[in-house]
């Protein structure tokens, strides 16, 4: 069986696409499906090596927006016990714009988004972001009523604490 309009997405965006192409051909014989006609996709430039010059105008605007900020709060859902893919992609398409800027977290899910926040902490450590210890964990069962975010007094106080810490961290950075 062949697939006429399929492709293989190479997980790495490291330079040297030819090497990845060769590696994929070495992997192909282990597949039972005929993948000879599948297109290969890999990016050419690592975001960290782009020196804030991106080909895509939307990424360039995203770069300017993030670069102009002094600190961030990530409000993140937890998807499949981890971070949301689209949000991770948005972070990954930049590099130095994140470096060294303080970061706070608000997680939400059935379990408060705790696993997503922990994954974000590991991801953003790469950018040497000072990360606040205080975080807000919201439950979609307890903190949302009829589709409206309705935090209790404790959650509202935690948010005020988080934002105050972030402001102090941004001034100190």
């Amino acid at each position: 069986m062949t697939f006429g309009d399929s492709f293989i997405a190479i997980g790495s965006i490291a330079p040297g696409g030819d090497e990845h192409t060769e590696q994929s051909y070495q992997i192909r014989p282990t597949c039972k499906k005929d993948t000879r006609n599948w297109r290969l996709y890999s990016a050419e430039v690592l975001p960290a090596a782009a020196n804030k010059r991106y080909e895509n105008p939307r990424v360039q605007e995203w770069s300017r927006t993030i670069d102009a900020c002094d600190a961030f709060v990530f409000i993140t859902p937890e998807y499949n016990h981890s971070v949301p893919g689209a949000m991770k992609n948005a972070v990954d398409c930049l590099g130095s714009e994140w470096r060294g800027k303080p970061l706070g977290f608000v997680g939400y899910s059935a379990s408060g988004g705790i696993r997503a926040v922990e994954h974000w902490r590991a991801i953003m450590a790469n950018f040497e972001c000072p990360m606040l210890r205080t975080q807000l964990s919201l439950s979609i069962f307890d903190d949302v009523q009829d589709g409206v975010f309705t935090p209790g007094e404790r959650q509202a106080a935690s948010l005020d604490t988080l934002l105050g810490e972030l402001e102090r961290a941004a001034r100190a950075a």
Side-chain angles (χ1 to χ4, degrees):
M1 173 178 220
T2 61
F3 297 89
D5 194 23
S6 299
F7 70 97
I8 295 174
I10 306 298
S12 173
I13 60 170
D18 292 341
E19 294 170 20
H20 296 298
T21 301
E22 290 303 315
Q23 290 169 2
S24 71
Y25 282 113
Q26 292 170 9
I27 293 170
R28 287 179 184 199
T30 65
C31 298
K32 293 184 179 177
K33 296 185 185 318
D34 181 1
T35 61
R36 288 176 293 188
N37 294 323
W38 287 24
R39 289 173 285 146
L40 296 169
Y41 169 80
S42 65
E44 302 251 340
V45 178
L46 286 167
N51 199 25
K52 299 181 185 176
R53 290 189 301 265
Y54 305 99
E55 291 180 22
N56 185 317
R58 292 173 65 193
V59 175
Q60 192 64 54
E61 181 60 29
W62 175 234
S63 168
R64 283 191 291 272
T65 299
I66 296 304
D67 205 32
C69 295
D70 296 322
F72 308 98
V73 174
F74 279 13
I75 301 174
T76 182
E78 181 178 304
Y79 292 163
N80 296 320
H81 292 222
S82 191
V83 301
M87 189 173 175
K88 174 75 164 69
N89 189 51
V91 167
D92 284 348
C93 71
L94 303 182
S96 62
E97 295 87 345
W98 301 108
R99 187 151 320 278
K101 296 180 180 179
L103 179 58
F105 298 97
V106 175
Y108 65 94
S109 72
S111 60
I114 294 168
R115 291 171 289 231
V117 169
E118 288 308 307
H119 288 180
W120 277 122
R121 288 182 184 282
I123 292 162
M124 297 309 288
N126 180 59
F127 299 108
E128 300 172 354
C129 293
M131 289 174 253
L132 304 181
R133 180 175 176 162
T134 300
Q135 69 185 48
L136 189 57
S137 298
L138 302 173
S139 166
I140 59 172
F141 299 118
D142 299 329
D143 298 306
V144 177
Q145 304 298 324
D146 298 321
V148 177
F149 174 58
T150 54
E153 287 181 35
R154 184 179 63 82
Q155 298 293 42
S158 292
L159 180 58
D160 286 343
T161 299
L162 182 139
L163 295 175
E165 287 178 14
L166 187 66
E167 186 177 354
R168 287 187 294 281
R171 276 195 230 118

